[in-house]
Amino acid sequence: MKVLLTGGAGFIGSHTCVELLSQGYDAVIADNFCNSERDVITRCEKITGKKIACYDADVADKEAVSSIFAKEKIDAVIHFAGYKSVPESVKLPVMYYRNNLDTTLTVLEVMKEFGVKIFVFSSSATVYGDKNPVPFTEDMPTSTTNPYGTTKLFIEKILTDTAAADGEMSVVLLRYFNPIGAHKSGLIGENPKGIPNNLMPYIAQVASGKREMLHVYGNDFNTPDGTGVRDYIHVEDLAKGHVKALEYAAKNAGCEIFNLGTGIGYSVLDIVKAFEKANGIKIPYVIDPRRPGDIDESRADVSKAAKILGWKAEKNLDDMCADTWNWQKNIK
Ligand code: UFG
């Protein structure tokens, strides 16, 4: 099966590309490298020993996407391409709606033209909003607190309607919790441009000396130590979840939603301690005020993915911290 990965040079896309190739799938990448580096492709090739067809293309550009479908015989799409910064989306909502919706709609139009029926989407636990009790189950009501999250919710709706209108279409919506870690080779991982918004890349940059100290956003949440609790998942486990989702989609028409998390919650201070212990590096931190929009706790109910996809995260927090540092320490 040949799979098109839009945004395949990004953090989750590149790990999924490696996993697909190692399980015998063919992968084609389309990426405009707006938030990733070109040498990610060579690194994925080095890990897998396989050549990867990569197109430098904006997937909102219909002509570009059509020409990829015309050249390659695409059987399925995993759609990662999209902007992903919560604070940036609050400042630039129109840019977020335009990009995230246009890319999705364009890919869907081209898929229709070429008769491609399998679509796996990178959604996010952000669609559970700030009102649901943990753990989050896929049937809970959705809501969002920022434009980035709303683009994910809108796209989920577009895809649900698309699957309902075409009985042969198969859509899987994957709601990621908090992906961290890196490939065990240390060749690919997360390398955000500018100041990291997310916890683990920030900690990794404090460890490497690039940043002075971690700013912990609030210690007055309704959690055991007062800092925010999240469900962190190793990116390699997440990548395996995509392959399971693809296998499922290839056999079942319709639209299904799956949480991809571990089901375990860790606080910000748990993560700091685990990183220090795994890597023997002190992470200085200061307590700052809460960040707007942050919730007490986000944690997945992972039983649906286990039951239907036969998928379960295998790596623990120690692996996540060690692999993050194994990658970060080599970044110049
Ligand atoms: N945090 C800090 N300091 C930092 C960064 C984060 O204390 O420098 C805290 C946050 O307050 C939160 C926790 O660390 O309690 C995790 O924050 P992240 O920014 O790493 O992750 P979020 O849970 O806020 O957001 C992530 C993704 C979003 C997605 C959301 C859905 O980044 O894309 O999960 O649950 F929408």
Side-chain angles (χ1 to χ4, degrees), residues 84 86 124-126 148 176-178 196-200 202 214-217 228-230 232 268 291 294-295 298:
K84 64 172 187 179
V86 171
S124 165
T126 194
Y148 156 78
Y176 309 152
F177 281 71
N178 290 58
N197 292 315
N198 300 116
L199 180 63
M200 193 50 116
Y202 204 105
L214 173 69
H215 297 263
V216 176
Y217 298 136
V229 168
R230 298 288 181 273
Y232 295 91
V268 176
R291 193 169 62 172
D294 275 353
I295 56 175
S298 162

Side-chain angles (χ1 to χ4, degrees), residues 203-211 281 283 325 328-329 331:
I203 290 178
Q205 292 195 6
V206 173
S208 72
K210 197 167 171 187
R211 317 247 161 234
I281 301 168
I283 304 297
W325 180 235
Q328 179 73 38
K329 70 184 181 200
I331 300 175

Side-chain angles (χ1 to χ4, degrees), residues 216-223 225-228 287-291 296:
V216 176
Y217 298 136
N219 64 353
D220 59 351
F221 288 97
N222 185 20
T223 62
D225 66 15
T227 64
I287 307 286
D288 273 9
R290 285 184 184 209
R291 193 169 62 172
D296 296 324

